[in-house]
Amino acid sequence: MIKKKLTQKELAERLKLSQQAVSKALRGDKEISPKTQQRVVKMARELGYRGNKLARANIDGKTAIVGVLFPTYSGQFFARIIDTIEDGLHRLDFNALLCKWRLDSASDDQSSSTLRQYQVEGMIIIPRPVISWSQSIYKPLLDCGEKIVFLNEKVD
C-alpha cells in the first residue's frame, strides 16, 4: 500500500521544529546543530520523507537538470553517448531530461520548448541538419542566453 506523501511541514510538526529549520537540516546547513540534523534526517528516513526538487527549484532557481535532445535513443552509438552524459551529470549531482526529435517533423522546436519549460540549466543537443543556421530554431535559443552544447555540429 502506498502511503500519502509526507510533507516537510508535517515532518516539522512531528519534530516540533519550524519548517525552515527542517529544510536547513535536510540540506546540511551549518546553522543547524549536528544533533538536530541527525534527528531530522533519522525521522525523515523512518517516515519515508522525500524532498521536492521542484519546490526547491522555485526557491533557488536551480533544477540540476540538463536537457538532452537527440534524434533517437536507439542504437549503440546514441546509447553510449547518453550513458556517458548521464554518468558525467551524475558526478556533478545533475540529472538528464531526455527528449527526441523525429526525422519526419519539426519536433525539435517543440522538444526544446518542453525542455525550457522544465527550467533546464542547459542543453546537450545533436541538432537536426539545417539548411540555414540563421533559420534554425537553435539560434534564438543561443541569442536569449541558453547554455547549449552541440554534438556533431559546428556552430558560428
Side-chain angles (χ1 to χ4, degrees), residues 70-86:
F70 275 33
T72 182
Y73 310 141
S74 64
Q76 212 173 36
F77 175 75
F78 291 108
R80 287 175 64 191
I81 291 174
I82 291 169
D83 279 346
T84 301
I85 289 169
E86 286 193 320

Side-chain angles (χ1 to χ4, degrees), residues 20-37:
Q20 184 178 22
V22 168
S23 175
K24 287 181 176 186
L26 290 170
R27 285 182 285 141
D29 192 302
K30 297 194 185 314
E31 288 183 28
I32 306 298
S33 73
K35 183 178 177 181
T36 300
Q37 283 185 18

Side-chain angles (χ1 to χ4, degrees), residues 96-108:
L97 178 59
L98 304 177
C99 279
K100 69 178 184 176
W101 51 264
R102 291 172 296 286
L103 292 173
D104 61 348
S105 70
S107 63
D108 46 345

Side-chain angles (χ1 to χ4, degrees), residues 39-132:
R39 193 171 133 235
V40 170
V41 169
K42 181 178 184 235
M43 182 169 277
R45 257 193 226 119
E46 288 172 1
L47 298 175
Y49 172 78
R50 292 183 329 242
N52 184 333
K53 288 192 176 225
L54 294 177
R56 182 86 237 146
N58 283 333
I59 294 168
D60 65 17
K62 296 179 181 172
T63 60
I65 299 172
V66 172
V68 178
L69 181 56
F70 275 33
T72 182
Y73 310 141
S74 64
Q76 212 173 36
F77 175 75
F78 291 108
R80 287 175 64 191
I81 291 174
I82 291 169
D83 279 346
T84 301
I85 289 169
E86 286 193 320
D87 289 347
L89 290 174
H90 180 74
R91 285 192 296 275
L92 299 170
D93 291 326
F94 275 73
N95 290 294
L97 178 59
L98 304 177
C99 279
K100 69 178 184 176
W101 51 264
R102 291 172 296 286
L103 292 173
D104 61 348
S105 70
S107 63
D108 46 345
D109 186 27
Q110 181 181 5
S111 295
S112 65
S113 177
T114 297
L115 292 174
R116 293 183 78 209
Q117 289 173 25
Y118 280 96
Q119 304 298 314
V120 295
E121 295 192 41
M123 294 185 217
I124 299 171
I125 298 174
I126 290 185
R128 176 185 303 276
V130 293
I131 296 169
S132 165

